[in-house]
Amino acid sequence: MIEIRSVGVFCSSAMHVEGVYEKAALELGEALAQHQITMVYGGGAQGLMGKTADATMAHGGRVIGFMPHHLREYEEPNWAITEMHMVDTMHTRKRLMFEHSDAFFVLPGGFGTLDETFELITWGQLKLHEKPIIFINVNQYWDPLESLIKNIFEQHFAKPEDKNCFTFVRSVSEAFQALLKTPEPPSPEHIGELV
Ligand code: AMP
């Protein structure tokens, strides 16, 4: 099994989503703290990401955030976390989140969530890493995306082995089950360098 000490969390920055999503964010934060897994994220105080971070902290966990300076115009940094780092660009944020995370959980979110997640899926496709990426399909939110991905494979727009780059689960507890039974990658020397 790979050792998981930290998980990058991608999820919504939106404030007005249904309660079922907030419940999952709180559950995820509590579970990260219980498993003594550090949460790594974009550092915002609002939306599902802020809720997850606050819940992790409230249950005695550790949270690291990376926010580009220019984003302060739109998003309030969450100063109540273990380490809040202001960085120069979105790309620096993504690189640091990647480097500090052993795996990734994807709760429901919008374009930002999709952007961050698909960049890492494509890095996996290019064999730049083998870190697990787990979509948590709360309230069947990701069903249309799962259908699209199925179509991508059926129509041969991705190779069958690319299915190994990510997993869909239905709940926070299933996400931890999937994460904690992830086998060791076979040969780290084949993993490429990120540029
Ligand atoms: P959203 O899913 O649209 O609510 O966005 C979730 C988070 O993704 C927000 O905190 C955004 O700052 C972040 N985000 C959006 N686009 C990017 C990007 N290109 N690179 C890194 N983070 C992003």
Side-chain angles (χ1 to χ4, degrees):
M1 301 297 144
I2 55 168
E3 191 177 359
I4 303 289
R5 295 208 188 95
S6 57
V7 168
V9 176
F10 299 136
C11 62
S12 174
S13 57
M15 310 289 273
H16 304 292
V17 295
E18 283 183 34
V20 64
Y21 301 114
E22 181 176 330
K23 193 165 163 277
L26 298 178
E27 191 186 339
L28 176 58
E30 182 173 354
L32 286 167
Q34 277 169 359
H35 285 89
Q36 297 184 319
I37 293 174
T38 298
M39 172 182 172
V40 178
Y41 85 120
Q46 76 281 34
L48 297 185
M49 56 189 192
K51 298 276 179 207
T52 311
D54 290 346
T56 307
M57 293 301 296
H59 289 87
R62 290 187 78 241
V63 180
I64 304 177
F66 297 102
M67 181 178 287
H69 293 284
H70 67 86
L71 218 63
R72 288 192 69 167
E73 206 178 314
Y74 312 101
E75 293 182 15
E76 193 55 40
N78 190 347
W79 298 112
I81 59 177
T82 319
E83 291 178 31
M84 179 71 223
H85 300 275
M86 300 307 293
V87 301
D88 53 357
T89 64
M90 298 296 261
H91 286 103
T92 305
R93 168 200 250 182
K94 283 181 174 175
R95 180 175 56 76
L96 289 170
M97 284 183 68
F98 172 77
E99 287 173 3
H100 284 77
S101 305
D102 296 322
F104 301 90
F105 282 161
V106 190
L107 278 179
F111 300 127
T113 302
L114 287 172
D115 172 88
E116 293 170 313
T117 307
F118 274 91
E119 181 157 55
L120 291 190
I121 288 177
T122 55
W123 289 356
Q125 202 176 25
L126 298 172
K127 307 277 183 277
L128 295 172
H129 74 92
E130 291 190 2
K131 298 182 182 187
I133 300 169
I134 300 171
F135 286 90
I136 308 180
N137 193 7
V138 177
N139 198 32
Q140 300 179 310
Y141 177 80
W142 291 123
D143 276 4
L145 178 67
E146 211 175 348
S147 298
L148 173 64
I149 290 175
K150 192 163 170 264
N151 197 38
I152 289 172
F153 284 110
E154 280 174 4
Q155 306 281 327
H156 310 291
F157 283 101
K159 295 194 283 306
E161 64 265 29
D162 295 337
K163 286 182 185 157
N164 300 328
C165 295
F166 54 86
T167 314
F168 281 86
V169 299
R170 282 166 301 180
S171 64
V172 168
S173 60
E174 278 186 21
F176 279 89
Q177 282 166 28
L179 181 70
L180 300 174
K181 67 174 191 224
T182 303
E184 196 82 44
S187 49
E189 67 269 25
H190 293 315
I191 308 293
E193 290 283 317
L194 291 179
V195 284

